[in-house]
Each structure stands twice: as C-alpha cells, then as structure tokens.
C-alpha cells in the first residue's frame, strides 16, 4: 500500500490503516486537556533514525503514536504561550482533502476550483478590510512571506527596482517600523537587498505602539540626510503585547510623504470579524497592503496567510514573472506568476470551509469571549500581591510579572523565569517568557475557545503557591 492503487486493488488495506491513524489522533485531541501542553523531555530520539530498508506498517504506527505524544499540544487550554491554538474542525477536514487530491496552487490547470476559491476569499477579505473596489490578494505560507512580498511590491513600486534592482539608486532606501514590529520585517529588508539597517526602529509608548510624532520626525531626518524613505510598516497586534498602532495617524504620515503603508495585521487582522472590536482597526482601510494570518486568531491549521493590496494591479505591474509552461487563455494570469512562492499548498480550502461553517457570526462571538476572559484574567492576576502587568491589553494577550519590592531588575527577571518553569513543570501551565522594555514577563495568548474561569482559577492558585514568600527560595532552587 505504498500508494493508493488508482484501480482500487488495495483500498481495504489503506482504509484500515488510515482509520487506525485517525482513531489515534481523535483520541488524543479529544483528551487534550489531560495531556501536558508541551511534551516532557524527549526520549529515545535515536529510534527516529532513518533506515535504508522499508519497515512494517505496525512499526510505523508505533512511530506515529510517539510523534503525536511528543508534539506540542496547543488544544490544551493551558497552552497559553504562543499564538497557536486548536484548529477548526473544518480546517482539519480541509487538510485531509488537500493532501488526498494533492492539487497545486501554481495555476488554474493544477488547481482549477481551489484557485477560484482563493480569489473569492481574498477579494472578500479585501472588501471586509474596506480596501476598495480595486483591491484583491493572494495567499502565502505564513505571515513572514506575506510581509516579504508586500515590501517587495512596495520597493518595486516606489523605488522602481523591478528590472535593475538596487544598483544605480542614488539615495539609501528606508523602511520605518515600530521597535515592537515583528522580526520578519528585518528579514524582508535583508532578503530584498536593502539590508537590516534600512529598517528604522521607531520608539513606542508604554502600550508598545508607535509614537507617531517620532515617526514623522524620523522620516524628515532621513529625507534631510539624502535618504529615500519608501515604506512605513504599521503593526495591528504586536507579537509581544498585542499593541495596535494608530493606523489612522500613520496613514496620514504615509500620505504626507507619499510612502507605501503596509499594515502587519498578521495577528490582529482577525478583529475585522468582530462586530464589537473591529473599530480598533480604524484606519486600516488606508493601507496600501495588509498581511493577515487566518492561522492565528481564525484557528485555521498552519499554514494560512493572506496578502491584500489596495490596488491589485500592482501584483502585475510590480511583481509579475511569467510562467512559460502553463497555458493562458484570454490574457489571464496565473497565481503562480504573482506570488512569491511557485507551488503552493491549497490553504484557501480550509479557510473557505471554516468561514462557511462558522460564519462571521461565530468568529465575532469567539473574539468577544477572548476579550471577556482577558479582562477577567487581568482582574484576577492583579488581585495577587506583587503581580504587575506590562500594559493594558488591547487584544487577548496579557503579559505579567512578579515584582518584589526592593529587589533588582536582574533578581526580578530571574524570579520570573523560575515562575515560568514552575508553572510549566509542576502545573502543566505554559506561558512564554518575553522581554518588554527591558523587563521580563510571562505572556499569555488567550486563544483557546475552551479557556474559561476554571482555568483562570487554577492559574491564579498556582501563581499564589509560588509567590508565597516562604516557599519562593526553595522553589527557585528546585527549578535551577
Ligand atoms: C506571527 C507574526 C508574524 C509572522 O508570521 P509567520 O506566519 O510566523 O511567518 C508577523 N507579524 C506578526 C505581528 C506576527 O504576530
């Protein structure tokens, strides 16, 4: 059964094996809260070594069990550390379909119907963000790629680099992004030949969002020094604290200096589905481009990212590279000619299935619930003696730290690392450990729709156990 026979001779065997795997998976995932959010120490890595000879299916099944057991378990509501959560049921179904039909989003021939679905989804999302009549987009494998392609189009559009690249530019190009912007912006600058030093970090206020007056000043300075500012990156939902830049004011600056405005809404873009909270994205409609990851707050299986343009014709004028080996009718273009990737996975299907199944309505409710528990969690955390938060949450991300009076920054940072380890090792509660404005914090991303007050209660009692002054020294030793 190495392959499924197109004439059906081995279908019984194949079905039996696949059903076994599905049973193992469903058993695990439907008991996710009983298993730790992260695997305990990985053991016997050697048993995963590759062999030259084939191994029996029963042995493969053992391997599969071990792999599932040793994987991240983001379905557990105590998995709070990162922007991972349990996937929608429809996106699991979508993935099963995609790997079985194994289409290729390169062109219409290689993915006839899902190419149409991708166009419908990206047009629909662009209109949802209010990007206007000429807007549209493409899908990519992750937010970093969406940011890279957006900045490539901005660069080609504003600097005219499509043909000759950067050679011959008389002035050094600059990108402006907040100091809390995602590292994929640096990566983009590096791969696009601009160099990481072309990204000018703009100071943020205490919420971790861009100081717009500093942005203005900084652009002015670069122009004065004979630099060539061409792009501003606004962030709607910073990865560390969920801060949302003032998109309205940033768009005015972009307009004033005629710069490309790209909004990294990779995390926060989901708010456009929230009837209650979409106003937090006010001004996003002025962006020239938006990157948004349904794989985060829309719970689509990884990977799933969208790049939207206010003017979709720039995909053709500033990015288009023709494929010589696919047929074209009526001068139409193929998706593979306007996306950074060639072959692409049909991410569009699982997003489309999930949007159909949940509708805007359910996403709006899920987001409302996230806010409700973020605010309850904040309240309960602040009732614990010496617990401080990094800043007022603007989304479903909350960063907190234990801060003892009269101890140094270094001591406090160390205590918080012990707290993070203590919660994970002793109580199976996973927070990430981050740095924000030189302080370390434990960070919670409240994505899981099954997270509720019962979980908050357990987290708070576990934190209290740690912060109980008499124990703290002893526990610190235990964790070292
Ligand atoms: C997660 C994230 C990214 C990167 O997305 P990937 O899918 O991990 O490549 C970019 N920007 C922000 C704000 C993010 O939170």
């Amino acid at each position: 059964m190495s392959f499924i026979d197109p004439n059906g001779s081995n279908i019984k065997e194949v079905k039996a094996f696949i059903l076994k795997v599905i049973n193992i998976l469903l058993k695990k995932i439907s008991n996710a809260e009983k298993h730790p959010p992260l695997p305990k120490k990985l053991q016997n890595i050697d048993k995963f070594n590759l062999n030259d000879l084939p191994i029996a299916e029963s042995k493969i099944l053992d391997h599969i069990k071990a792999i599932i057991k040793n994987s991240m378990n983001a379905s557990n509501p105590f998995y709070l550390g990162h922007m991972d959560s349990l996937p929608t049921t429809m996106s699991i179904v979508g993935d099963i379909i995609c790997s079985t039909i194994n289409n290729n989003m390169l062109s219409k021939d290689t993915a006839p119907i899902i190419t149409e679905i991708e166009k419908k989804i990206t047009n629909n999302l662009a209109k949802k963000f209010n990007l206007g009549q000429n807007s549209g987009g493409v899908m990519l494998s992750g937010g970093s790629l969406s940011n890279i392609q957006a900045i490539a189009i901005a660069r080609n559009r504003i600097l005219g680099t499509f043909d000759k690249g950067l050679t011959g530019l008389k002035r050094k190009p600059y990108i402006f992004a907040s100091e809390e912007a995602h590292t994929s912006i640096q990566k983009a600058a590096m791969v696009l030949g601009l160099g990481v030093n072309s990204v000018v970090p703009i100071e943020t206020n205490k919420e971790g969002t861009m100081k717009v007056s500093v942005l203005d000043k900084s652009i002015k300075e670069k122009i004065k020094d004979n630099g060539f500012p061409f792009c501003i990156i606004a962030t709607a939902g910073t990865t560390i604290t969920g801060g949302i830049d003032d998109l309205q004011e940033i768009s005015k600056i972009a307009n004033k200096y005629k710069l490309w405005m790209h909004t990294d809404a990779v995390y926060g873009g989901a708010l456009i589905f929230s009837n209650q909270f979409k106003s937090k994205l006010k001004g996003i409609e002025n962006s020239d481009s938006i990157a948004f990851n349904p794989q985060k707050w829309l719970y689509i299986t990884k990977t799933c990212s969208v790049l939207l343009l206010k003017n979709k014709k720039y995909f053709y004028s500033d990015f288009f590279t023709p494929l010589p080996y696919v047929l074209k009718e009526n001068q139409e273009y193929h998706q593979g000619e306007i996306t950074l990737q060639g072959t692409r996975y049909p991410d569009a299907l699982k997003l489309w299935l999930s949007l159909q199944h949940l509708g805007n309505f359910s996403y709006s409710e899920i987001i409302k619930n996230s806010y409700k528990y973020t605010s309850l969690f904040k309240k309960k955390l602040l009732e614990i003696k010496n617990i401080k938060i990094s800043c007022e949450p603007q989304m479903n991300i909350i960063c907190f730290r234990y801060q003892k009076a009269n101890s140094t920054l270094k001591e406090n940072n160390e205590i918080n690392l012990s707290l993070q380890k203590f919660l994970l090792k002793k109580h199976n509660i996973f927070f990430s450990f981050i740095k924000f404005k030189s302080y370390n914090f434990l960070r919670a991303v409240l994505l899981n729709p099954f997270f509720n007050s019962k979980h908050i209660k357990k987290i708070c009692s576990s934190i209290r156990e740690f912060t109980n002054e008499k124990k703290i020294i002893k526990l610190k030793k235990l964790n070292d």
Side-chain angles (χ1 to χ4, degrees), residues 83 141-145 147 181-184 235-239 264-268 293 295-296 303 305:
M83 293 163 165
S141 300
S144 302
L145 290 181
N147 282 338
H182 191 262
T183 52
S184 56
T235 310
T238 58
T239 314
D264 178 347
V266 164
Y267 190 69
N293 269 17
Q295 78 191 27
K296 289 182 169 173
T303 55
S305 180

Side-chain angles (χ1 to χ4, degrees), residues 1 6 8 49 142 144 147 166 177 190 233 303 342 346 359 365 377 455 467:
M1 58 168 237
N49 289 350
S144 302
N147 282 338
L166 297 170
M190 183 260 289
I233 314 285
T303 55
E365 290 295 305
F377 188 33
H455 302 99
T467 57

